[in-house]
């Protein structure tokens, strides 16, 4: 499992459109649980979708929203799950958090939800953290976005 931090090298690192392009749009292959989020889309229907404590969207739905309006995420955890895992199964575990999640900075690099495959964390508009079980996803991000930093250099025991 690997992780990276994006805090420079792209114009808006808490906007998802560039992140999705950086991972070669594999987000479409998953369902997404969005938790502990703060964002301000202009589109009223998107604002309604993101007004609850959590959102459950297909990768296609999330991509469509971001392609239509690439708004900034102040905080948020985007957890990707294989499409064969139900939301009911996922909700048996604690909801992932961004604000106050000190485990991001500890070794080993881990995902908050045990069934998640990818985790994208918008961190106070200051950076985006991406962690994946699939090292190829992190490698693609490192290849496609300049100045991506390895999360491991920030991790402490």
């Amino acid at each position: 499992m690997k992780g990276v931090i994006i805090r420079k090298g792209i114009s808006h690192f808490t906007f998802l459109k560039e992140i999705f392009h950086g991972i070669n749009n594999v987000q479409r292959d998953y369902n997404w649980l969005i938790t502990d989020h703060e964002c301000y889309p202009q589109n009223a229907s998107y604002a309604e979708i993101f007004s609850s404590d959590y959102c459950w969207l297909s990768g296609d739905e999330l991509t469509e929203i971001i392609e239509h309006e690439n708004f900034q995420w102040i905080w948020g955890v985007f957890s990707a799950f294989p499409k064969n895992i139900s939301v009911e199964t996922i909700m048996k575990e604690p909801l992932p958090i961004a604000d106050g999640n000190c485990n991001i900075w500890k070794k080993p690099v881990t995902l908050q939800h045990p069934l998640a495959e990818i985790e994208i964390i918008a961190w106070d508009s200051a950076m985006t953290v991406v962690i994946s079980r699939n090292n190829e996803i992190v490698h693609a991000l490192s290849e496609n976005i300049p100045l991506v930093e390895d999360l491991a250099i920030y991790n402490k025991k």
Side-chain angles (χ1 to χ4, degrees), residues 35-144:
T35 57
D36 195 26
H37 57 282
E38 181 181 345
C39 61
Y40 302 99
Q42 297 298 308
N43 182 301
S45 63
Y46 300 159
E48 178 67 27
I49 290 169
F50 299 115
S51 67
S52 353
D53 289 341
Y54 72 90
C55 305
W56 178 252
L57 298 170
S58 72
D60 288 334
E61 291 169 323
L62 180 57
T63 301
E64 182 179 315
I65 289 169
I66 297 307
E67 290 292 329
H68 185 262
E69 183 183 344
N70 189 28
F71 51 90
Q72 182 179 21
W73 294 83
I74 312 304
W75 293 99
V77 180
F78 299 79
S79 302
F81 297 90
K83 291 185 176 186
N84 66 335
I85 300 176
S86 71
V87 69
E88 293 80 19
T89 300
I90 290 162
M91 296 306 287
K92 291 178 182 175
E93 299 290 334
L95 294 177
I97 61 169
D99 190 8
N101 178 9
C102 61
N103 289 328
I104 294 169
W105 315 115
K106 293 181 182 175
K107 287 183 182 176
V109 173
T110 59
L111 297 164
Q112 292 180 72
H113 197 289
L115 301 174
E117 294 289 323
I118 304 168
E119 189 171 281
I120 301 171
I121 304 169
W123 184 270
D124 197 18
S125 298
M127 72 180 107
T128 300
V129 177
V130 180
I131 301 169
S132 179
R133 291 185 195 282
N134 181 343
N135 292 344
E136 290 302 314
I137 291 172
V138 173
H139 179 73
L141 198 56
S142 298
E143 291 289 315
N144 292 322

Side-chain angles (χ1 to χ4, degrees), residues 11-53:
S11 56
H12 304 292
F13 38 79
T14 61
F15 288 67
L16 292 177
K17 192 172 190 175
E18 289 181 78
I19 305 292
F20 288 168
H21 291 298
I23 61 173
N24 299 318
N25 289 304
V26 298
Q27 78 280 354
R28 290 183 177 274
D29 299 336
Y30 298 93
N31 286 326
W32 291 85
L33 176 68
I34 305 166
T35 57
D36 195 26
H37 57 282
E38 181 181 345
C39 61
Y40 302 99
Q42 297 298 308
N43 182 301
S45 63
Y46 300 159
E48 178 67 27
I49 290 169
F50 299 115
S51 67
S52 353
D53 289 341

